[in-house]
Amino acid sequence: MRELKTRFGLILVGLLTSAGCASSQAMGLEAVALTPEHVAKLRSVSTAKISPDGKLIAYTLRVPRRPFEDEDGPAWAELHVVDAGGNSRPFITGEVDVGAIEWLPDGKAISFITKRGKDEHKSVYVIPIDGGESHRVVSLETDVEGYSWSPDCKEVALLAKPKLEKRGKSRQDKGFKQEIYEEDWRPMRVWIAKPDEKDSKPRLLELPGSASEIHWSSIDRRLALALAPTPLIDDEYMRRKVHVVDIDSGKTLAKFENPGKLGQIVWSPDGKKLAMISAEDIHDTQVGRLLIAPSAGATLVDLLPNYEGHVTSIAWQDNDTIMFLLDEGVWTTFGEVRVDGKDRKTHVPTGKMVAGSFSLSKDGQSAAFTIENPSHPFEVAMMSHGDKGIRKLTDSNPWLNEIRMAAQEIITYKTRDGLQLEGLLIHPPDEQQGTKYPLIMYVHGGPEAHERNGWLTSPSLPGQVAAARGYAVFYPNYRGSTGRGVAFAKMGQADLGGREFDDLVDGVDHLIQIGLVDAKRVGITGGSYGGYATAWCSTFYSNRFAAGVMNVGVSDQISMFGTSDIPEEWYLVHSRKRLWEDWKFFLERSPIYHVGKAKTPLLIMHGKDDPRVDPRQSLELFRNLKTLNQTPVRLVHYPGEGHGNRKAAARYDYNLRMMQWFDHYLKGPGGEPPAYELQYELEPKDSDNQGTKD
């Protein structure tokens, strides 16, 4: 059985790799193993927008900064344009941060948000498609964080926070920088600007609450947007409601009772209807329902009721048809449905692609996608009416064609209570029948997320880097994951650390039972809720795991509620009970309650400025384990990082430390922790630190 599955995994990688991306073996080149240094330079397409006429696709390319060469920071975001033949042109490149790209309605230019030259704040820029420099068209006294063009391109709606009052600014300059927690916030406001009128000042719309998701109607002077009571993250997550407002008066024309979490909002071409991606109810963990209603206001209707998957992206093909991307298990489906919920069609079925988002041409006959596969991160792809399938247009990391990729396989297994689950397994290269391998299990966060059959390697995902070192790497979609409908996603609610984490151990047992994994050499890692899973499996289930790497994870459910910026979201879609209703439950579902069982060497890493999971969650677990002194433990803080690392140096360092820890405890001598000083292969050889050893 294992031999058959391994062959399938190899075939799968080949099918999902475009014809223009031959493997190193096929090219007659010596195979190269993927390393952390390779991961540090991976580029990835983040957004792809097709032009109104369907002939060109504008896309943003994330280009990592080079550790030790560039000033440290997050990846640059460049603007490129590719045509249907795969001919790509750079438009704005280098040390730039281009965001929120859109085609102007007339298709003659591309707009975007950035901060350039002497700009004090992020502004809206436009660059002509037929040549010429980009130029700033509108700016405010604070950063522009979103925008939407009028149909005639003469006006633009802007999202930005109000300027700090002069009195407040002068006080700050004198040292009065006190923060009144969750009260001194500034809401996101909406301005209307006329870029062509130089003396015209942007006009503020007086709207209640904090705004997001603004979209100008394609036919008149109405704006669809989301309003939350406050700009607090909890309200943004759980209490945004869709409104339609008159742009001239700011009067609310319609308000929709979309429940819980909210995703995309899209006008129909004739302006008579609104479609949106929403949660099913206030306790639904993730957006994924396709809802529709007349834009004048009415009850929202679910066009795909009881669908056992999640809608991720939508666009109107015409006034009566909506096209969509659906997450189904580890795959993505592309299809359409009429506004009455009938005549649903599938254009790209399950098992053919993994896509992140899409956009449609004005006539609805061509679509641009961001797609990934087990051998490549996200790229631009295209499909037009009559095409047999999706065509990949870009290749942002051509050097990956020289890398030997390990086989990636979809596996299924049953849990102890009979639930059928899916996961993704990356096999060790040159796998030998009868040989048992060390395993690294990566647990995704959320848990309202899931792993798809795409690219599974990053600074925090061991993926192909670990496989190249002889590990099996496992990504389970445990109960509570998305991609299988609302009921499945709710299965972990009110059971923190319970059956959802039993699922992880059951997955490991499956891999042990088929003869692939050495039961004594199993490691676990993950971030956020996956960090919670790592802490749980390193304490409560410590007898099953030989090493753990925990990132921005939860260790104390009692203090989590009081120190996180999402206490209401945590209650509504996770715990489903309050602390004071069941103190014992929250105590017993905390990894620190089980530290006495801990025998798993644990590396803990955390952004020092994390607002979601307070860094003290990591400190609590570290301090208890350190005091007990039953197992090795190390805590690494990343100053200036939040809920996950964004800057190049921290991302590279994290990847090295994670692999060093696993190599030491799953393949190496174990015992005392490895030296905390690292050898950075990207560091110039004449550096003062060139003599540092692991």
Side-chain angles (χ1 to χ4, degrees), residues 63-76:
V63 180
R65 304 192 194 205
R66 298 163 296 181
F68 298 105
E69 294 185 43
D70 299 326
E71 181 180 356
D72 192 31
W76 303 115

Side-chain angles (χ1 to χ4, degrees), residues 567-600:
E568 283 300 291
E569 195 262 359
W570 194 257
Y571 159 67
L572 289 167
V573 305
H574 298 302
S575 68
R576 296 296 296 270
K577 63 178 80 174
R578 302 289 191 182
L579 276 175
W580 48 89
E581 295 171 347
D582 195 344
W583 286 95
K584 184 179 179 182
F585 169 81
F586 289 99
L587 177 62
E588 293 179 349
R589 298 304 174 95
S590 299
I592 60 166
Y593 183 74
H594 302 281
V595 290
K597 306 173 187 176
K599 300 293 184 183
T600 304

Side-chain angles (χ1 to χ4, degrees), residues 87-339:
N87 302 302
S88 185
R89 289 185 293 157
F91 266 58
I92 302 174
T93 62
E95 297 182 359
V96 295
D97 186 17
V98 172
I101 61 170
E102 295 289 349
W103 289 89
L104 267 65
D106 60 13
K108 294 181 180 179
I110 301 166
S111 59
F112 56 94
I113 294 174
T114 195
K115 181 179 177 182
R116 306 189 72 179
K118 297 181 180 179
D119 291 349
E120 293 185 11
H121 307 286
K122 290 184 178 180
S123 304
V124 179
Y125 278 74
V126 166
I127 186 168
I129 193 63
D130 56 0
E133 285 291 321
S134 64
H135 59 283
R136 188 177 65 191
V137 294
V138 66
S139 61
L140 296 172
E141 294 180 305
T142 58
D143 286 347
V144 175
E145 299 190 34
Y147 66 95
S148 181
W149 289 98
S150 64
D152 60 6
C153 302
K154 292 183 179 180
E155 293 178 275
V156 60
L158 306 167
L159 281 177
K161 293 180 180 178
K163 179 185 177 184
L164 186 67
E165 293 182 7
K166 186 175 182 180
R167 182 181 180 187
K169 179 67 168 61
S170 63
R171 285 176 173 178
Q172 282 193 357
D173 292 341
K174 296 297 183 180
F176 292 88
K177 299 180 181 180
Q178 64 281 349
E179 298 176 0
I180 314 304
Y181 192 65
E182 294 188 351
E183 289 187 50
D184 62 351
W185 38 259
R186 288 178 292 160
M188 192 72 68
R189 309 303 297 271
V190 178
W191 276 265
I192 306 299
K194 297 180 179 180
D196 293 336
E197 299 181 12
K198 293 183 179 179
D199 296 330
S200 174
K201 293 185 178 181
R203 174 172 56 90
L204 175 66
L205 291 186
E206 295 293 344
L207 300 173
S210 187
S212 59
E213 283 290 324
I214 55 172
H215 302 278
W216 200 305
S217 165
S218 57
I219 62 163
D220 55 27
R221 300 184 63 74
R222 290 178 298 162
L223 200 65
L225 74 161
L227 289 171
T230 76
L232 298 178
I233 295 298
D234 249 346
D235 282 343
E236 182 182 335
Y237 273 11
M238 306 305 301
R239 295 188 175 89
R240 290 191 299 160
K241 299 297 181 184
V242 177
H243 293 63
V244 174
V245 302
D246 178 77
I247 289 173
D248 295 314
S249 67
K251 180 181 177 181
T252 296
L253 304 176
K255 179 182 177 181
F256 299 87
E257 293 303 318
N258 50 286
K261 296 182 178 181
L262 175 67
Q264 258 185 295
I265 306 170
V266 189
W267 286 97
S268 62
D270 61 7
K272 294 181 179 180
K273 294 177 283 292
L274 278 177
M276 64 190 73
I277 305 177
S278 171
E280 182 176 88
D281 56 49
I282 192 65
H283 298 297
D284 191 354
T285 65
Q286 184 61 285
V287 297
R289 305 303 96 194
L290 174 52
L291 306 184
I292 186 173
S295 58
T299 301
L300 290 160
V301 175
D302 189 344
L303 293 188
L304 302 171
N306 302 315
Y307 166 64
E308 293 187 355
H310 280 78
V311 181
T312 59
S313 186
I314 57 174
W316 289 86
Q317 186 180 46
D318 53 46
N319 291 319
D320 299 311
T321 310
I322 299 174
M323 305 199 78
F324 51 71
L325 282 178
L326 307 172
D327 274 349
E328 292 185 357
V330 298
W331 296 102
T332 307
T333 297
F334 180 53
E336 66 179 62
V337 64
R338 292 183 61 81
V339 293

Side-chain angles (χ1 to χ4, degrees), residues 19 24 159 217 224 283 301 346 373 410 441 477 491 628 670 685:
S24 59
L159 281 177
S217 165
H283 298 297
V301 175
T346 299
N373 65 46
I410 304 165
M441 176 168 60
N477 284 329
M491 279 187 172
L628 276 169
K685 298 305 179 184

Side-chain angles (χ1 to χ4, degrees), residues 459-477:
S460 59
L461 275 66
Q464 294 287 342
V465 170
R469 299 188 185 195
Y471 292 95
V473 188
F474 179 47
Y475 299 81
N477 284 329

